[in-house]
Amino acid sequence: MNAPIEALQGLANAAAEAAAAPPFSPSRVKKRKKAEPIPRNAFPHVVEKGLVSDSEARELFHIFFSGCHLFIPLFDPAYDTYEGIMERSPWTFDAILAVAGKIRSGNNPPGPTFYKALEEAQGIARSSLFGPVVRNEAVQGMLLLAAWSTNGWLPSGHAMRMALDLGLHRALEKLADDGGKKRSEEEERELVVSSRIWLCLYWFDHQMSLGTGRPIVLRDENSIRHCRVLLNHPMASPTDVRLVAQVELIAQKTQIYETLSPMNGQVNHHTLAFIRRANVALDKWWHDCHELHLQSMDEDSLLVKILDGELHYAKLWLVCVALRGVSWDKMPFEQRELAFQAKDAATNCLSTFLMSTAYRAALRYAVHDSLVTAAFSGLFLLKMANLFPSELDLGAIAAQVEQLAQLLSDVAAERYALTLRIMLANLRRKVGMPTGGPTTVPSMGPPGGPNDSMVMAPFVDASGAIEDLGFPWPHNMASLNPSDIPVWLQEQSLTDLGLPVNGSDGIFMNPNRGTGWPGEFAPMPEAW
């Protein structure tokens, strides 16, 4: 009963003694706190546990750094070597192998290595929910699990909070202002890595919010203000230029979304003026970043093509946010002109994908966001073709969409390919388009190596028979539930050119829904 009172009395006595001590008493001198060494890894990686052989792990690691790291520019290949990541972070190491295992399987069911690496990575992730995180690489591992997931909202949120706990949001400011102090190479590397992780996480988290219509959680723009400092640093990575471009673009898209979204499709002269200014700003962003890219690569390089595609898609996205909820039959002339501007942007976006051999080959490594960019452009063109059949070249649009659907099927993105093919079949039935002949489409080579060959693949018109969609379909017609088709794609919504409130979740069919359709798809683990 007396313990709390005695403890308080002891604290009071200690405070009195401290106050009575001489001003320069040794007891008052504060010693600089030494940084505690980071404890050793608590979890072994899959190679150490004997779940995956060293040779197979090296093969998967090579696959990841053949293309995956371009879409999530978290790493510096010169620093993040096989041995380096294996030693520093079993979590990130296992996550890399899981992602690469999924890429390697292509259209086939994932092999046992994928499931083993994923189970280990997710097991370590679960342990971080209620325990302290001491390594920056833990954020990398969590972000990788989120990026290649079909639903990365929750894991990306956890990665964000881990990063805030570790203070990564202050890394760029420290990197930009050294305060006249000379840092050791280890301290400098720590700041560079922390800055890169924070920028990638900031971009990804904002993109997840804009892409799904959820509120943006992090509002601190000061944490990315010095992002270009990374480009001139001696420890810069070849992909940092893409990372900086992504961060600067997402900042512009956030401002666009927050300005246009509250208008709920009310397009007046103020809206049109804002859209014009936004287009000018996007062009300036592309010009500045294009110049940065050309300092270290040529015009036909993959990262430059990705930058081009992002400009065209941003202009399409801009109009679709402005036209949200607006029906074509109620559009005044100005809004109709906006729709045709968006059509041009969608066409340019698809052309960037289909005309670049490097971009086509890289799509097998892509994350959800990049696949949405391509597929939504095709869906928008099909909607425009439904609304303005006499004013558009339907044959050219159909050919582009056919090629894109085949390309997405080749890279195991069947969810997006299926949605495109259903929309294309519907358009052909409505306007009586003849079946297209063989279409030249890219042939995808094995992961980890370029393949520029082309093959001729026929695309059969879907004029009534389910099998004609060119897609594995359940034999039982009743297994296709009308509720599997999102409202945005249904007949009554064809006049709506705006972006759904829930973003991509309201656009693409989900093959793994609980309605039993389609039976041929083995469901992936829930986080994938």
Side-chain angles (χ1 to χ4, degrees), residues 123-134:
I124 302 175
R126 282 191 291 271
S127 73
S128 70
L129 287 173
F130 299 101
V133 174
V134 296

Side-chain angles (χ1 to χ4, degrees), residues 24-290:
F24 299 103
S25 169
S27 63
R28 298 289 300 272
V29 177
K30 290 185 177 180
K31 293 183 179 180
R32 185 177 179 183
K33 188 177 181 181
K34 292 184 179 180
E36 295 184 6
I38 296 178
R40 66 181 299 275
N41 289 303
F43 299 91
H45 49 71
V46 289
V47 175
E48 187 178 349
K49 293 182 74 170
L51 299 175
V52 179
S53 68
D54 181 74
S55 60
E56 186 179 13
R58 289 181 183 276
E59 176 196 348
L60 293 173
F61 195 87
H62 172 69
I63 289 174
F64 183 89
F65 280 95
S66 294
C68 295
H69 72 297
L70 300 177
F71 291 94
I72 299 293
L74 265 176
F75 300 101
D76 177 3
Y79 173 70
D80 295 307
T81 60
Y82 177 84
E83 290 80 7
I85 293 183
M86 175 192 282
E87 179 183 350
R88 292 196 305 271
S89 176
W91 184 353
T92 304
F93 183 75
D94 292 347
I96 286 175
L97 299 192
V99 170
K102 185 170 182 285
I103 302 299
R104 183 178 65 177
S105 64
N107 286 317
N108 301 315
T113 298
F114 162 75
Y115 289 102
K116 290 174 184 175
L118 180 61
E119 183 180 1
E120 292 295 312
Q122 288 182 340
I124 302 175
R126 282 191 291 271
S127 73
S128 70
L129 287 173
F130 299 101
V133 174
V134 296
R135 285 179 175 80
N136 296 348
E137 286 88 355
V139 184
Q140 289 177 321
M142 197 72 219
L143 184 50
L144 289 180
L145 292 178
W148 274 270
S149 168
T150 54
N151 181 14
W153 171 255
L154 290 178
S156 73
H158 182 47
M160 176 65 73
R161 278 150 187 79
M162 288 196 301
L164 291 171
D165 251 8
L166 291 168
L168 302 193
H169 57 297
R170 296 190 292 267
L172 263 177
E173 187 176 356
K174 293 179 181 178
L175 192 65
D177 181 18
D178 57 10
K181 299 178 182 177
K182 184 171 179 60
R183 291 187 286 258
S184 67
E185 182 178 350
E186 183 180 353
E187 291 172 331
E188 198 73 15
R189 173 71 69 183
E190 179 77 8
L191 284 179
V192 169
V193 171
S194 298
S195 299
R196 186 177 295 126
I197 294 172
W198 177 253
L199 287 176
C200 198
L201 183 57
Y202 183 97
W203 156 70
F204 185 80
D205 194 69
H206 278 63
Q207 186 61 44
M208 285 290 298
S209 297
L210 295 183
T212 59
R214 292 181 172 94
I216 295 173
V217 178
L218 186 73
R219 315 296 302 184
D220 183 15
E221 296 180 1
N222 289 328
S223 65
I224 61 167
R225 184 176 51 186
H226 303 290
C227 62
R228 292 205 178 191
V229 170
L230 206 57
L231 299 180
N232 299 319
H233 197 279
M235 296 178 181
S237 167
T239 55
D240 283 343
V241 66
R242 164 162 164 74
L243 177 56
V244 169
Q246 290 289 89
V247 169
E248 292 181 350
L249 176 60
I250 204 65
Q252 288 204 29
K253 291 178 74 173
T254 301
Q255 182 182 0
I256 290 170
Y257 187 85
E258 293 180 342
T259 302
L260 294 179
S261 188
M263 296 182 179
N264 295 319
Q266 297 177 7
V267 182
N268 50 37
H269 67 281
H270 294 296
T271 311
L272 295 172
F274 175 81
I275 291 174
R276 283 193 293 271
R277 292 196 303 273
N279 273 310
V280 171
L282 288 172
D283 284 331
K284 184 179 185 306
W285 163 81
W286 175 86
H287 182 269
D288 292 347
C289 293
H290 187 254

Side-chain angles (χ1 to χ4, degrees), residues 284-313:
K284 184 179 185 306
W285 163 81
W286 175 86
H287 182 269
D288 292 347
C289 293
H290 187 254
E291 291 296 316
L292 290 174
H293 279 65
L294 293 186
Q295 291 176 10
S296 57
M297 59 195 76
D298 59 47
E299 189 72 47
D300 294 326
S301 67
L302 173 60
L303 292 184
V304 173
K305 295 304 177 184
I306 291 178
L307 186 76
D308 295 345
E310 285 165 347
L311 170 68
H312 300 313
Y313 183 74

Side-chain angles (χ1 to χ4, degrees), residues 392-405:
L392 299 177
D393 186 343
L394 301 188
I397 290 176
Q400 269 196 320
V401 174
E402 283 176 3
Q403 290 188 49
L404 178 62

